[in-house]
Amino acid sequence: MRKNIVAGNWKMNLSENDAVELAKEVAEIKVENAEIIIFPPAIFIPTISKLGLKLKIGAQNFYPKDKGAFTGEISITQLKDAGVSYVLVGHSERRTILKEDNEFLKDKVNAALEHDVKVVFCCGEELTIREKGTENEFVKSQLVESVFHLNADQLKNVTIAYEPIWAIGTGLTASKEQAEAMHLFIRETIANHYNQEVANSVSILYGGSCNPSNAKELFACPNVDGGLIGGAALKSADFSSIASSF
Ligand code: 13P
């Protein structure tokens, strides 16, 4: 069956010393029923990786080409060399601020999987879309356009993170009913495109103001398999409490 995962997206935060300290503290978290992944700023990945800690390290971003004249960018192979086994693709901040569209995200998904790096694919609607009641169609189109070209075997290396944009960094969390409804919809959509067995094997994480006081009820939802945590991942005590919420 599918894995529970708790992942910390540190975004563009922390000094090197603070990042190293936090990584060491996160590696001490004892949970048996969930995998823990950290996504530090790229510049700290080699240092954290060399600590040899017992945790998975992911990259928040990369460029979907192996090498070449792409000033300022980092390739998947370079990140892999540095110790990365997961990447985030489709985070709403990269979609909105860095203008990454579904077509480009499809290239990123392909580049990561070609190099055996697992993908955490983020999807989620903004508030105006939820107010119109079209969030299901919107999220479905994100999956169809960037993920559903994969075959069932490739999809095994993809985790989905549903992150409603209106809940990211706002303190507003999706209710457990809203989260479960969307996660169930995503699983049904995967089942319709692939089959139920494939759908049952995909971990679907929730992200958006997840914290120690709401993690338990969110993770108790049958189709919520963990969380992608932003702000609360920057404090080891909070992240530990969330990771222990299954
Ligand atoms: P917050 O937990 O700070 O709302 O961020 C969620 C997120 O964007 C994780 O990728």
Side-chain angles (χ1 to χ4, degrees), residues 195-215:
N195 59 53
Q196 193 63 51
E197 195 189 337
V198 169
N200 288 345
S201 70
V202 176
S203 301
I204 307 177
L205 316 183
Y206 169 79
S209 299
C210 187
N211 61 44
S213 51
N214 57 32

Side-chain angles (χ1 to χ4, degrees), residues 72-93:
E73 296 294 337
I74 307 178
S75 73
I76 274 286
T77 39
Q78 291 167 333
L79 288 167
K80 223 177 136 176
D81 276 354
V84 159
S85 53
Y86 279 89
V87 283
L88 288 182
V89 176
H91 193 282
S92 67
E93 285 146 22

Side-chain angles (χ1 to χ4, degrees), residues 92 124-131 135 162-175 178-179 206 208-209:
S92 67
E125 79 289 353
E126 58 199 42
L127 188 59
T128 50
I129 290 174
R130 182 157 281 266
E131 283 170 349
E135 64 274 12
Y162 169 59
E163 298 204 300
I165 297 175
W166 46 271
I168 295 179
T170 57
L172 269 184
T173 316
S175 65
Q178 286 171 320
Y206 169 79
S209 299

Side-chain angles (χ1 to χ4, degrees), residues 1-99:
M1 264 308 260
R2 58 184 179 262
K3 264 193 286 195
N4 291 327
I5 297 175
V6 178
N9 175 8
W10 296 358
K11 307 192 180 183
M12 197 175 72
N13 292 300
L14 305 173
S15 66
E16 181 163 41
N17 283 346
D18 291 345
V20 164
E21 266 326 290
L22 182 57
K24 286 180 181 166
E25 288 166 12
V26 171
E28 292 300 310
I29 299 172
K30 300 270 179 287
V31 281
E32 272 159 28
N33 50 0
E35 177 164 276
I36 292 185
I37 314 168
I38 56 167
F39 290 88
I43 194 163
F44 304 144
I45 289 173
T47 311
I48 292 174
S49 178
K50 283 182 191 134
L51 298 172
L53 301 171
K54 268 202 161 159
L55 43 70
K56 302 278 184 203
I57 302 174
Q60 298 172 23
N61 185 41
F62 62 98
Y63 195 73
K65 295 280 183 205
D66 284 346
K67 61 179 179 181
F70 303 102
T71 302
E73 296 294 337
I74 307 178
S75 73
I76 274 286
T77 39
Q78 291 167 333
L79 288 167
K80 223 177 136 176
D81 276 354
V84 159
S85 53
Y86 279 89
V87 283
L88 288 182
V89 176
H91 193 282
S92 67
E93 285 146 22
R94 297 210 60 89
R95 291 175 185 269
T96 55
I97 305 169
L98 283 307
K99 312 287 180 225

